[in-house]
Amino acid sequence: MPNRFWRSLILAAIPAILAGCVDRRFVVATNVPAAQVSVDGHVLGPAPVDGRWEYAGKYEFRASAPG
């Protein structure tokens, strides 16, 4: 009986632990088609572009296009 209890408890805890996984993403869209977007100096690519962030805080977004 004790083994069955622990096995049930562990099986019930696995989905609760995996439910904590979060994918934090952002999308940058610009008025100028294909403007190059960078975040904190790292080029992401032409807009619209998406990326991931690990922690809350301040980020510097920059969009540049010729002309």
Side-chain angles (χ1 to χ4, degrees), residues 1-65:
M1 178 81 176
N3 287 339
R4 179 180 269 182
F5 170 76
W6 288 109
R7 188 177 317 150
S8 298
L9 183 64
I10 290 170
L11 289 176
I14 289 174
I17 292 169
L18 295 177
C21 298
V22 177
D23 188 24
R24 297 176 177 102
R25 301 188 66 79
F26 61 85
V27 176
V28 178
T30 62
N31 293 349
V32 180
Q36 288 294 320
V37 177
S38 63
V39 178
D40 291 336
H42 301 290
V43 177
L44 293 179
V49 65
D50 66 339
R52 294 183 179 179
W53 57 280
E54 296 292 324
Y55 57 90
K58 293 183 180 181
Y59 294 91
E60 181 181 340
F61 290 85
R62 188 172 297 236
S64 60

